[in-house]
Amino acid sequence: MAKRAAPSGKAPASGKSRRNPAWQPGELPTREAILEAIAQFPEIDSKREIARHFGIKGDDRVALKMLLRDMENEGLLARKRKAIRATSELPAVTVLDIPADADPENLHAFPAKWDEEEGEKPRVVVTIGKDARVVPAPGDRILARIQRGEGLAPTYTARPMKVLDKPRKADIGIVRMDNEGARLVPIERKAREMRIPAGDLGGAKDGDLVEVEVAVSGRLMIPRAKVVSVVGNPQSEGAVSLIALHSLDIPYRFPASVIAEADAAEEATLKGREDWRDIPLITIDPHDAKDHDDAVHAEPDTDPGNPGGHILHVGIADVAHYVRAGSALDREAYLRGNSVYFPDRVVPMLPERISNDLCSLREGENRAAMALRIVIDAEGNKKRHSFHRVTMRSAARLSYQQAQAAIDGEPDDKTGPLLEPILKPLWAAYASLAKARDRRGPLALDLPERRIRLDETGMVTDVYVPERLDAHKLIEEIMILSNVCAAETLEKHRTGLLYRVHDAPSREKVTSLGEFLKSLDLPVPRSESLRPKDFNQILFRAEKAGKSEQVNEMVLRSQAQAEYAPGNYGHYGLNLDRYAHFTSPIRRYADLIVHRSLIKVLGLGDDGLTEAEESRLATVGQHISATERRAMAAERETADRLLAQFLANHIGARFTGKIAGVVGAGLFVRLDETGADGFVPASSLGTDYFRYFEDQQALIGERTGERFRIGDRVEVRLLEAAPMAGALRFEVLSEGERIKPPGPGRTQRGKRAPFKGKRPRR
């Protein structure tokens, strides 16, 4: 090893190296000597300087060049043009990205941020101890503690500390051409437009969605955008959802390996399965459904000991047969976590060959299924159940409207022959299940779900609220009962499973709700621990008082978010002690895990849950809970963009709506007709100062006492629409309720609005 450098810090001009007197001019230095020289003498930053430092001349320079190239390939040196320097080391704690295609049994990762000038990203081996609390999986981003291996080449191992949410992709927008060239219209609501220099368009055309790099130039530090990649054109492709897919980093193209594996899959045979093809199970789905992952059947129980009872048969697509743990299909399904549904497209969790073909319970075709036989009594109480792995054949594919019409006395050619033998027994069983549901008392929020209808060009033609039919409730109750059966069976066998859990509201949220109810002169619950039936009583009283809109909104806000976890704390909203998703494995990875668990504990095949999967259930639950939230955000953002695009041609128009949210900066108003949300700045509410009162969820004028509160009905005018950002800006035309002014001296947890404005009265 070379000796310490001379105190001067200057490299010798020629001859023997001053750092190593034993070094003879012309000798090829070792890797260690080169790295030490670069570290000690910053001016040694090129092949010429290295050769000069070590006295390498003539033909020996070729050997030095080859040595330096080897060191670069080994990750010891980094090169930018002619400059050479030692690569940087990873910090002791760093953020790593695990590739989606990493081997779950032998995970590796790369730094989430890495300067390309440092050379190739170092590959980090992820080590997971037997009792590790954090167990990441392919596709995860983690915070990890780094340990560097011995030797010259920087080898690293990482011990995970936490699984992180991946950030949104930044700096994307729509290219717009104008007389001055091109500009970038950002999709983020608060971001500003930027110019794109002519040479930095990267082939992008007007209307293209692009990813850009942002740099500032000139004395005024004006930001300018450079197109890095063209994602697509939402207008020409008729897919506004493309923006959300890219900004939220949702995979929507299947890798070739996944497609190949799906295409190679062969239809399951009867081997190792019970034959349920004579049981006339039927599917009841939306009229435009492309995949059918659940089928149902009911018949009266002939057991004299169960008068008025029924036997239910439920068939669920056997996805586990086709998607094996550790396969390319499995890794991609885990990465996606769930299917994502947009008005203009569906991004499925599994390729079409699996989701719409082999696993879709098509009418008249043999299909592999995980099946369930449930016996209920006349009051809807479950007496017993059993799981089976079967081959079934759907007797009919019906839509909700079709099945409901038949029960209501208007059968068609298809449902007529099914009415007596199939549909009426199903409705009789549902009547019993409805009794059990009413006794259980799940949370009964009135939350109408609006749907957007598009034309062939992807433009909004209609916004509607689908009618809630008994046919919907029938399928919902049978699926809830099936999910309970899955959780009970796995609990009984003391095996790992992913529960669908929903926590009770926090004490703080219950207190805030109580303060709000008090402001409405409604009874305030005495207990800080409310049960679902207590919330239902609150909702009932609010409806009688004509204040259901305000209270529904606040009760919804008080609720926790449901998630997946291996630890059970019940499902508060459904008022169930145990619950696990089992009925939709085509579109939810959680259900696939539950299927594998059932296969394992019931001895139904060799494709059950592996030990490695069971050890990672906590991390799997965290990941798929995050992908579910990501999907919800993408669906919401896309709806906002479509509605903003639809309303962009109605600037100046008046609309009615309700205040859906209140913050210090203003009001969020939801329009009645379309459900579109827009913002009203507090500064535009009039000549008064408006302050935010959290206990009332209201903005109140200091001088006039004019109050705008969540749930209030208002008339607004549309002032501005930003379709790509999904943003609308309104002004309120109607008067707020007048109460006693709070005055500038009263706080009441209120915040003073920062700006004073004026609103015309109409």
Side-chain angles (χ1 to χ4, degrees), residues 656-732:
T656 58
K658 69 173 182 178
I659 297 174
V662 183
V663 293
L667 310 171
F668 292 96
V669 174
R670 182 168 300 146
L671 303 185
D672 292 333
E673 188 175 348
T674 61
D677 289 307
F679 189 64
V680 178
S683 58
S684 68
L685 286 177
T687 58
D688 204 350
Y689 283 108
F690 282 81
R691 288 163 43 208
Y692 172 53
F693 288 79
E694 185 179 351
D695 57 342
Q696 300 183 53
Q697 285 294 300
L699 288 178
I700 303 176
E702 284 186 349
R703 179 174 49 81
T704 62
E706 187 177 13
R707 179 172 66 182
F708 294 94
R709 181 164 52 180
I710 192 169
D712 285 352
R713 310 293 308 171
V714 290
E715 183 182 8
V716 296
R717 190 203 317 274
L718 178 60
L719 297 182
E720 184 182 357
M724 289 303 103
L728 301 170
R729 185 164 65 88
F730 300 128
E731 68 169 337
V732 173

Side-chain angles (χ1 to χ4, degrees), residues 35 71 73-77 87-92 94 96 108-111 114 120-127 145-159:
L35 291 174
M71 292 178 69
N73 293 336
E74 293 165 12
L76 300 175
L77 295 177
T87 54
S88 298
E89 293 190 8
L90 292 179
T94 192
L96 304 174
H108 69 278
F110 298 97
W114 183 256
E120 292 187 11
K121 287 185 177 182
R123 189 178 190 273
V124 184
V125 176
V126 180
T127 60
R145 195 172 298 282
I146 303 296
Q147 185 172 356
R148 193 186 193 283
E150 296 182 357
L152 287 177
T155 59
Y156 300 100
T157 57
R159 188 172 296 277

Side-chain angles (χ1 to χ4, degrees), residues 60-182:
D60 290 337
R61 289 175 178 268
V62 176
L64 176 65
K65 182 179 180 181
M66 294 177 64
L67 174 60
L68 295 177
R69 184 181 300 164
D70 289 342
M71 292 178 69
E72 190 176 343
N73 293 336
E74 293 165 12
L76 300 175
L77 295 177
R79 179 194 299 269
K80 184 177 182 182
R81 297 186 178 92
K82 293 184 178 181
I84 294 176
R85 54 197 175 94
T87 54
S88 298
E89 293 190 8
L90 292 179
V93 175
T94 192
V95 177
L96 304 174
D97 283 332
I98 302 174
D101 58 355
D103 181 355
E105 307 300 326
N106 297 287
L107 290 176
H108 69 278
F110 298 97
K113 290 186 177 181
W114 183 256
D115 187 346
E116 293 182 358
E117 294 182 5
E118 304 294 338
E120 292 187 11
K121 287 185 177 182
R123 189 178 190 273
V124 184
V125 176
V126 180
T127 60
I128 302 171
K130 185 177 181 181
D131 298 323
R133 294 184 179 180
V134 178
V135 184
D140 283 346
R141 168 167 286 189
I142 61 173
L143 182 68
R145 195 172 298 282
I146 303 296
Q147 185 172 356
R148 193 186 193 283
E150 296 182 357
L152 287 177
T155 59
Y156 300 100
T157 57
R159 188 172 296 277
M161 300 166 63
K162 185 179 181 180
V163 176
L164 305 173
D165 288 337
K166 288 192 174 180
R168 298 170 64 103
K169 283 191 174 180
D171 300 325
I172 65 172
I174 302 292
V175 173
R176 291 299 180 201
M177 308 302 293
D178 55 29
N179 295 333
E180 299 177 15

Side-chain angles (χ1 to χ4, degrees), residues 629-672:
R629 292 191 294 270
R630 180 180 69 179
M632 292 169 62
E635 292 165 6
R636 183 175 61 250
E637 288 181 13
T638 298
D640 287 346
R641 290 188 178 100
L642 286 167
L643 291 173
Q645 188 180 68
F646 177 60
L647 292 171
N649 295 324
H650 296 80
I651 301 297
R654 296 184 179 191
F655 301 93
T656 58
K658 69 173 182 178
I659 297 174
V662 183
V663 293
L667 310 171
F668 292 96
V669 174
R670 182 168 300 146
L671 303 185
D672 292 333

Side-chain angles (χ1 to χ4, degrees), residues 332-361:
E332 185 69 15
Y334 170 82
L335 181 66
R336 295 179 178 224
N338 43 258
S339 298
V340 188
Y341 294 85
F342 298 104
D344 55 9
R345 70 163 72 188
V346 175
V347 179
M349 184 178 79
L350 297 166
E352 242 181 68
R353 167 66 172 159
I354 303 296
S355 60
N356 293 358
D357 185 4
L358 294 176
C359 287
S360 185
L361 306 180

